[in-house]
Every structure is written in C-alpha cells, then in structure tokens.
C-alpha cells in the first residue's frame, strides 16, 4: 500500500508533467500564429464608431446618421494664432462635440458647401420653429454692420427702419433719428461701416425672424461667415451630413482590403500609402515604431502599408497657420475629401483589428490670404476594421 507521502509525490509529478505539456501546447499556438487566429475567430466582429454602410468596395460612413453633435473629440487641446483683430485662440476639452469649437471656415474648401445653406432649409428638415429663436442664436449677426446686412439681405433696403425693431433700436443707440427713412437712405446718409450691430443692441431681446428675409439668405452672403462656430448656426449641429449641400465622393477605383495589422515594434517601413497633402501620400516610416496595416489589393497594391498616425507624424498645413502644432499632423489619407483626415489609430495585433479616427484643422483668411493648420485636432472615433475588411483608399491613387 502506498504511503501518503508517495501519493503526494505522484500528484506533484502529474501536475508538473501537465504543466510542461500545457506550456508546449501554448508555445506551439503562439509560434505558428494559431492562438491569434483562435482569438480572432472567437471575438465578435469589430464595430464602427460611426454608422457605416458595408459593401465589397469598402466601408462608407452612413452620412444620414452622422451629425456634428455626435463627433466627440478624445483629447483636449488649445491653440493661439494671429488674426484680423490680433491674437486669437481656441480651446477644446476631451468629451466635447467638434461643433462647439470648429468654425464654418474650417470647412470652406471641404466640398461640403456649408455656406450655401439657408436657415429655413435646416429648419424645414428638423421641424425647427425659427420664430422661437433669438438673433443671438445666429452667431454671425453679432459682427454685421448695417451695410453688411443690407448687402446680404437686399430686400430690407427699401423697408422703413421703424418696421425692423432691432435695426431701429440699433440706430437709436447710435443717436441716429430715422424720420421715416428706409434702410438704404440711412446707409447713404451716415457712415456705418465700423458699427457692429452686436455692439449696440442685446441680440437676446429680439426674435431671429425680426429681420425680414434673414431665414432665406445663404450663409455665404453674410460678412465673415467663416468665423461662425458650427453650433452658431441654428440646427446645423443636428443636421445629418446627408442633408449638407454636398459630400465629396471617394475614388472607388482605389480600394483594397486590410490584410494584416502590425503593432509598433515594426520598424523602417517604406511601401507607404499614407502621408499628407503637403508631403504626398507615400511617406515612408523611418523609425523604430511603425505600427501599420498592410493592405491587399489588385497588382502592386498588395503589400502596401498605411501607417498609424498615432506613431508617425508628417508635415501639414499651409500659410501662416502651418506653424501650429509644430507643423505636424498624424499620417493618414483623405478618402472622403479635405473636410477631415482618416487616420489609423490603435492597432490590436492579437485581435487582428484597428481603429481609425477623424482629424480636423483650423483655417482662416489672414490679410485676405487663406491659410490652414495641419490636421491635428482629434482624434474623433471613426470606422473600425478587422483583417480582411474592405477599405477605401480614395485619392490620390499613387503607389510607392
């Protein structure tokens, strides 16, 4: 009969043998990539951070379910830059919607044509009663002069000032007696080019529609419309992007699939299809941490690398504002136009997945010259991909 000590020793030997066999089993899984495949098989399919429309050609954002309000920035930041009236600054905090700190001018050449919108178009889609809003809800009224308003809304020129309450009060506060004069007559009689309406009346005290025709006037007709915040245009934060005047169509001739995602231990990768408008979109990664997605596609497209912008920075911006953020932006591409940059962000090699993010820029006209910062304002979560998912590369269709 075996003693208790012998039994304990046999159990111990059994556990040691089991541990060795288990270790060899796991080592084989790791060495041959079987473990990663098993985990990938068991994990649920990656989901998009924005609503998407799936197709064999690549994931497209579902523009009908995308709104400025829902685009939430993940990192705080601030900038200062020279403007028309001295230094200007912008600050944003993680968790904010981009509508709270991005301006219409940041999208001036995006192809969205935000400036073509009229308030009544937005209100009609959203069932918004403009009569319940105040003039202060329409940001750009604050810095219009009376001549500016008359140029934007020509129909008020022949109306009597007494019939337009905010304009009557504006002139009263300037000490100007109108005496049954029309808006055009007042403009011709007095020098009003430097008197901003928001400096002389409280815009909170007047209904938005108290200025006739304001709701039917394209935003671009107002002076310096580019300086209005997105959420300074009533309803624009809630308007689906599908209802914007225009959305750029991606180049569907340059597409591929996410073949394999590789984390930041990858170094010195040169078959790049990522970069920036300023450096081009074949910028190699000459550094030790080149996390990227290797792509598959037709012909020479197979094996190209889209680098992660979380690790590689490239030159960006143009004009005076190109100096912001040290002139750098995350590497990436613009499959959906210049309104934002799509950047590969987090790589999860074990799960065979990656996240992408949207990055934005700020643009201004300084001394009548348009200038833009690098695309560094972000990240705002965008589309997530798993290996073998289709992906749109867009323009330009250049290969290294």
């Amino acid at each position: 009969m075996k003693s208790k000590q012998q039994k304990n020793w046999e159990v111990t030997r059994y556990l040691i043998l089991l541990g060795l066999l288990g270790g060899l089993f796991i080592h084989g899984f790791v060495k041959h990539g079987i473990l990663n495949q098993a985990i990938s098989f068991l994990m649920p399919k990656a989901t998009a951070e924005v609503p998407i429309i799936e197709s064999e050609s690549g994931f497209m954002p579902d523009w009908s379910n995308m709104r400025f309000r829902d685009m939430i920035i993940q990192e705080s930041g601030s900038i200062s830059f020279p403007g028309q009236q001295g230094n200007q600054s912008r600050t944003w905090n993680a968790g904010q919607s981009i509508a709270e700190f991005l301006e219409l001018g940041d999208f001036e050449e995006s192809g969205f044509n935000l400036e073509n919108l009229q308030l009544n178009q937005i209100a009609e889609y959203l069932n918004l009663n403009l009569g319940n809003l105040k003039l202060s809800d329409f940001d750009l009224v604050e810095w219009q002069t009376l001549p500016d308003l008359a140029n934007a809304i020509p129909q008020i020129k022949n109306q009597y000032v007494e019939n337009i309450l905010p304009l009557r009060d504006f002139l009263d506060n300037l000490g100007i007696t109108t005496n049954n004069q029309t808006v055009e007559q007042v403009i011709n009689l007095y020098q009003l080019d430097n008197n901003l309406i928001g400096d002389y009346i409280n815009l909170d005290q007047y209904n938005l529609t108290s200025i006739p025709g304001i709701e039917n006037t394209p935003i671009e007709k107002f002076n310096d419309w580019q300086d209005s915040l997105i959420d300074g245009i009533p309803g624009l934060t809630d308007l689906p992007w599908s209802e914007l005047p225009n959305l750029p169509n991606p180049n569907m001739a340059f597409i591929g699939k996410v073949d394999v995602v590789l984390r930041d231990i990858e170094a010195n990768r040169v078959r790049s299809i990522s970069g920036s408008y300023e450096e081009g979109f074949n910028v190699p990664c000459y550094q030790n941490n080149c996390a990227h997605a290797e792509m598959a596609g037709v012909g020479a497209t197979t094996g190209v690398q889209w680098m992660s912008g979380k690790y590689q920075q490239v030159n960006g911006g143009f004009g005076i504002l190109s100096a912001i953020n040290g002139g750098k932006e995350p590497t990436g591409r613009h499959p959906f136009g210049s309104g934002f940059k799509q950047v590969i962000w987090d790589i999860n090699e074990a799960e065979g997945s990656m996240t992408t993010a949207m990055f934005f820029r700020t643009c201004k006209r300084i001394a009548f010259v348009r200038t833009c910062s690098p695309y560094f304002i972000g990240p705002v979560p965008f589309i997530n991909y798993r290996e073998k998912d289709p992906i749109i590369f867009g323009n330009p269709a250049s290969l290294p």
Side-chain angles (χ1 to χ4, degrees), residues 247-266:
L247 281 171
N249 293 316
N251 176 7
M252 301 302 286
F254 193 33
I255 60 175
K257 285 191 176 183
V258 180
D259 191 18
V260 60
V261 296
L262 298 163
R263 60 193 180 94
D264 59 315
I265 60 171
E266 300 291 323

Side-chain angles (χ1 to χ4, degrees), residues 1 27-28 88 91 125 128 142 151-152 185 190 211 221 225 230 274 293 328 344 360 370 376 379 384:
M1 186 176 235
H27 175 73
Q88 299 181 19
T91 300
Y125 183 86
L128 184 66
E142 182 177 350
N151 288 331
Q185 287 172 328
Y190 300 95
I211 298 179
K221 297 296 184 181
W225 59 267
I230 297 294
S274 53
K328 297 294 184 179
I344 291 178
F360 299 87
R370 189 167 184 269
F376 77 102
N384 296 347

